[in-house]
Amino acid sequence: MRDRQTAVKGTSSGQKIRTSWDAHTEWYDGWVGKDGSTLHRELAIPATLELLAPRRGERILDIGAGQGVLAPHITRAGASYVGIDASTRLLQRARAHHGRIGAFLQGDASRLDQVSGIEQATFDGIVFLLSIQDMDPLSSVLEGAAWALRGGGRLVIVMIHPCFRVPRQSGWGWQEERQLQYRRIDRYLTPLAVPMKEYANGRQGQSLCFHRPLQQYINDLASSGLVLDQMRELCTYKTSSGPHARAENRAYQEIPLFMGLRARKLPTR
Ligand SMILES: C[S@@+](CC[C@H](N)C(=O)[O-])C[C@H]1O[C@@H](n2cnc3c(N)ncnc32)[C@H](O)[C@@H]1O
């Protein structure tokens, strides 16, 4: 069934959009906590680490760090960790959970050059862990990341797959005669800004998540001097045991709901 909330067509209007997750802190920290949700532990963090391959002595910047679940994984590899986020309240949780091993800065990812403590070409790796779809405008966010990355450094994005999971515009369907679970996509090419429900108080529209087609990610990376060199299409870690389990599990293994991208900054930029 189509969700009753409305998706707003278009993004990047130029007006300041509130994307901080302050309003979602209680719900999000309850779900994710210090060590990450099952999604983080089973899928998102392993995919990030596989693509990033952090090394001893490197500096890694986590953009949209939330409560900093990536920090221990980076420091365990011998690299140093800096997390940046727009949300004061999530940063308080991040410092309480991981402040002893990492540095956490407040700032806007679309204006990274104005964040005190972030300097040009000083990071070996940059990560967006389930965060880039909460940020806008994409071109400014990627330009800022490219600015902070050293030449040859790598940028890793792990996100919901934009082709198969469009907020409020996609879902699973069941075809009885073929005993088939299929994926329904209602819209794809049009960028959308989707108001998020505030879990704490039931209001909606206080912050947005952004759908963009895959071509926008690839083209905005390239415009920022970031060249894609790896991609992962990641299937859900979930399994079904219900009456349609066989068909559902086959669909889960065929249709990737998450995606990982790795790009490198051209050494000359
Ligand atoms: C879905 S949460 C992901 C948090 C964390 N990476 C994780 O996996 O748990 C998205 C985060 O992006 C942050 N965010 C959204 N827009 C931002 C911006 N323009 N600058 C910095 N952080 C932003 C939000 O405050 C929120 O903490």
Side-chain angles (χ1 to χ4, degrees):
M1 198 176 78
R2 191 181 288 257
D3 199 292
R4 275 174 293 150
Q5 285 191 347
T6 323
V8 181
K9 187 174 166 182
T11 62
S12 307
S13 59
Q15 88 223 36
K16 188 68 197 130
I17 294 168
R18 182 180 153 197
T19 55
S20 149
W21 272 37
D22 270 345
H24 310 296
T25 299
E26 290 307 321
W27 159 72
Y28 197 64
D29 199 41
W31 180 52
V32 173
K34 183 179 176 192
D35 301 321
S37 64
T38 312
L39 166 64
H40 284 89
R41 286 181 275 113
E42 299 280 322
L43 186 147
I45 292 174
T48 300
L49 294 174
E50 190 256 325
L51 287 167
L52 181 68
R55 293 186 289 267
R56 183 160 297 282
E58 288 191 324
R59 292 191 79 215
I60 306 297
L61 177 63
D62 181 9
I63 301 185
Q67 60 275 70
V69 293
L70 194 61
H73 301 273
I74 298 299
T75 55
R76 212 172 288 137
S80 67
Y81 173 94
V82 178
I84 168 178
D85 203 283
S87 163
T88 317
R89 297 188 63 212
L90 273 171
L91 284 169
Q92 281 167 357
R93 306 293 171 104
R95 290 182 186 117
H97 293 325
H98 304 294
R100 280 189 301 158
I101 57 169
F104 292 94
L105 308 174
Q106 184 170 23
D108 181 352
S110 67
R111 299 169 186 181
L112 210 54
D113 59 346
Q114 290 174 27
V115 179
S116 127
I118 306 284
E119 270 146 33
Q120 186 172 12
T122 51
F123 289 94
D124 303 286
I126 293 188
V127 174
F128 292 89
L129 172 63
L130 303 175
S131 62
I132 203 153
Q133 284 158 313
D134 298 293
M135 296 173 183
D136 189 68
L138 180 65
S139 55
S140 309
V141 171
L142 292 177
E143 278 286 345
W147 169 85
L149 204 55
R150 69 164 174 78
R154 57 234 188 260
L155 177 140
V156 169
I157 298 172
V158 171
M159 61 189 284
I160 287 168
H161 203 308
C163 305
F164 299 111
R165 202 163 173 183
V166 184
R168 312 198 194 294
Q169 303 292 331
S170 62
W172 295 113
W174 176 251
Q175 194 179 2
E176 183 63 31
E177 60 277 25
R178 293 175 68 200
Q179 294 287 291
L180 178 77
Q181 170 150 304
Y182 62 87
R183 191 81 187 158
R184 191 202 81 237
I185 311 293
D186 303 334
R187 301 182 75 169
Y188 170 66
L189 278 174
T190 305
L192 300 170
V194 183
M196 281 188 59
K197 192 171 153 195
E198 278 186 15
Y199 287 85
N201 56 26
R203 283 201 313 248
Q204 56 180 265
Q206 292 297 297
S207 58
L208 298 170
C209 81
F210 302 91
H211 164 74
R212 302 124 181 159
L214 183 57
Q215 62 185 356
Q216 193 172 341
Y217 286 94
I218 309 297
N219 294 335
D220 282 359
L221 282 167
S223 304
S224 304
L226 296 161
V227 179
L228 193 68
D229 73 347
Q230 288 289 322
M231 179 174 184
R232 300 282 180 274
E233 298 196 282
L234 305 159
C235 292
T236 179
Y237 60 89
K238 288 183 182 165
T239 50
S240 165
S241 54
H244 298 145
R246 194 154 165 265
E248 283 172 3
N249 288 328
R250 191 177 53 196
Y252 290 170
Q253 290 310 309
E254 277 299 324
I255 301 177
L257 297 185
F258 297 89
M259 180 180 87
L261 299 175
R262 187 179 72 197
R264 284 189 188 272
K265 180 173 171 178
L266 294 172
T268 50
R269 293 265 300 203

